[in-house]
Structure formats: structure tokens, C-alpha cells
Amino acid sequence: EIDIEGYDMFAVNLSVNQTRGVVLYVMKDMKATQVELDVEFNEYVIVKIRERNAELLVCNVYRSPNSSNENDEKLFNLITRICETEKYSQKVILGDFNFPGINWTNWTTVDSSNKGLGLVNCLRKNLLYQFIDQPTRARGSQTPHTLDLVIANDDCIDNIKYLSPIGKSDHSVLTVSCAWKHE
């Protein structure tokens, strides 16, 4: 049901009751393999894409809006582990992070709980960029929020397009180009 012609599908937790599952699609003509990291955060899938003498690491994340502080710390540890993986010169982390209280224009939290401050600090500590600058989720009269993020360790992301949601989703579809460097 969820196969897309011309793409390889990499997935985790699709049949686990307490999780949403995470899927990442890569065009079949790209050399992609799944990567496992020894971390406690469960809602992610990572692939490495190899072309010529370079490898790009791509991680897709889902963080529940009801995530506990402990689970958030596990996510931040995942991000740090990805950044510590020196084997891959370029890293892209994307997905539904569900931190509505972050103002990405100035990298501050705008709600009293400061729930997103941990993510902001994690990205700063790991010298990461966050590229999404428009709301990605809107529902009825609720305030639109930037919940879906594209993060990278260098300025390789461009041509971001915000497209209409698919089906009953209230999240924008994002298409991005990654101009990763080949040696």
C-alpha cells in the first residue's frame, strides 16, 4: 500500500502499536542503505546515500507532540550521535519534530514552557542549520506552526517548496534539494 514506484522504501516501526512508524523513500537509482545507530530514540530511520567518493547521511524523525522530556533527551542524543559520525561529511535530518513554540527566525522559544529550547540548544551545540521558514501545519482556525523541519550540517539545502497536504493530512508536503558535495 505504501510502496512508491521507482523508489526504495526504508521504514521502522510500521507495525508497532505504540508508534506511528517512520518511512523514508529514496530513488532506486541512488545507492542507499539503511544505517542503525545504538541510541534509545525509536522513531527514526537513517540511510546513507553513496555517490562517487562521498556519502550523505539522511535521517527522518517523528517526535510525538506528547513526547516526554526523557524522550526529547533521547532525540537530542540521536542528533548528537549523527553529528559525531565523522564518516559522513554531510548530514541531513528531517521530519515532524512537533515543537510549535520555536520562532525559527531568531531561534528562540515563544511559549512559556520553553519546550523547544532543548532542540534549539542541541542544534546550536552541533553547529546545525534549520532551513524551514514557513508554517508547515495548519488546521482550521488554529495558529499555523512550523513543525516539520529540515536540518543539515552545512548550507546544502535549497529549492524548498511548500506543497498542499496529501489526503487528510494537515501538514504541508515539503520538497527540498540537497546540493551535497562530492569529492
Side-chain angles (χ1 to χ4, degrees), residues 94-105:
L94 48 90
D96 184 355
F97 285 79
N98 280 307
F99 282 108
I102 299 175
N103 177 339
W104 287 108
T105 302

Side-chain angles (χ1 to χ4, degrees), residues 8-28:
D8 289 320
M9 181 180 77
F10 300 90
V12 294
N13 298 334
L14 289 184
S15 60
V16 178
N17 286 339
Q18 300 300 317
T19 66
R20 293 269 181 128
V22 180
V23 177
L24 184 63
Y25 294 94
V26 179
M27 291 173 37
K28 284 192 179 287

Side-chain angles (χ1 to χ4, degrees), residues 60-149:
N60 187 15
V61 168
Y62 174 74
R63 177 192 166 272
S64 168
N66 301 318
S67 182
S68 67
N69 290 337
E70 179 184 356
N71 193 58
D72 289 350
E73 285 301 318
K74 291 176 183 178
L75 170 61
F76 307 150
N77 289 336
L78 168 68
I79 293 169
T80 298
R81 281 290 310 277
I82 289 169
C83 292
E84 292 171 346
T85 308
E86 295 176 12
K87 182 177 178 181
Y88 310 101
S89 60
Q90 289 187 280
K91 299 144 185 141
V92 176
I93 305 165
L94 48 90
D96 184 355
F97 285 79
N98 280 307
F99 282 108
I102 299 175
N103 177 339
W104 287 108
T105 302
N106 58 15
W107 286 53
T108 60
T109 55
V110 295
D111 64 12
S112 59
S113 73
N114 286 328
K115 187 79 170 155
L117 190 58
L119 178 63
V120 169
N121 290 338
C122 179
L123 299 186
R124 283 183 175 148
K125 178 183 89 173
N126 289 296
L127 304 175
L128 296 170
Y129 299 90
Q130 195 292 114
F131 294 88
I132 302 303
D133 61 3
Q134 296 178 27
T136 59
R137 180 190 177 268
R139 177 183 285 171
S141 61
Q142 294 178 356
T143 303
H145 293 288
T146 305
L147 303 181
D148 307 287
L149 307 176

Side-chain angles (χ1 to χ4, degrees), residues 7 10 29 47 117 127 148 154 160 172:
Y7 288 83
F10 300 90
D29 62 345
V47 298
L117 190 58
L127 304 175
D148 307 287
D154 66 18
I160 299 170
S172 298

